[in-house]
Amino acid sequence: MSEFLVSLLGERLVNSEKAEVDVQSLGARLSLVGLFFGCSMNAPCKQFNGSLCEFYSRFKKASEHKDKLEIVFVSSDQDQKHWQDFLQEMPWPALPFKDRHKK
């Protein structure tokens, strides 16, 4: 799965702390990757993000498969500040703002 993820997402993702996440090593342990396509300025995306965060938190705490799932945020934001602010609400990595054309 890691080679597929690298071809799809690139070599690196970022997290809310602006730290890089290596896609190759991330993909080596995963069975399932969820892509969350969203925009910070869209009310339904903001609402869904809250629900998804709740699910993600419960899953990561309680599931025996917690290391097999990751979500990646793929933004439609046109502004890096809005992208960064929205990413702060997420516990998962994101496609870097400069790579949003890959969506």
Side-chain angles (χ1 to χ4, degrees):
M1 178 180 280
S2 56
E3 288 181 30
F4 172 72
L5 285 178
V6 169
S7 69
L8 181 68
L9 300 171
E11 297 281 330
R12 304 263 183 258
L13 300 173
V14 294
N15 64 22
S16 59
E17 289 87 36
K18 299 182 184 175
E20 288 190 348
V21 177
D22 180 63
V23 174
Q24 187 80 22
S25 62
L26 181 69
R29 64 177 172 80
L30 297 176
S31 298
L32 183 63
V33 176
L35 299 177
F36 172 28
F37 291 87
C39 178
S40 66
M41 304 303 285
N42 183 290
C45 289
K46 295 282 279 185
Q47 289 176 319
F48 179 72
N49 185 55
S51 298
L52 188 57
C53 283
E54 286 178 34
F55 160 79
Y56 185 86
S57 177
R58 284 193 316 265
F59 184 86
K60 290 293 187 173
K61 286 180 185 172
S63 176
E64 65 185 72
H65 303 290
K66 62 185 170 193
D67 294 329
K68 300 290 184 188
L69 167 74
E70 191 56 83
I71 296 172
V72 176
F73 175 53
V74 181
S75 178
S76 292
D77 284 305
Q78 299 299 311
D79 172 292
Q80 188 163 1
K81 169 104 172 78
H82 287 113
W83 170 82
Q84 184 64 42
D85 289 346
F86 199 26
L87 182 59
Q88 292 299 312
E89 301 174 20
M90 301 174 190
W92 46 77
L95 189 68
F97 182 76
K98 66 180 177 58
D99 293 337
R100 69 191 183 285
H101 65 277
K102 291 181 180 179
K103 69 176 179 264

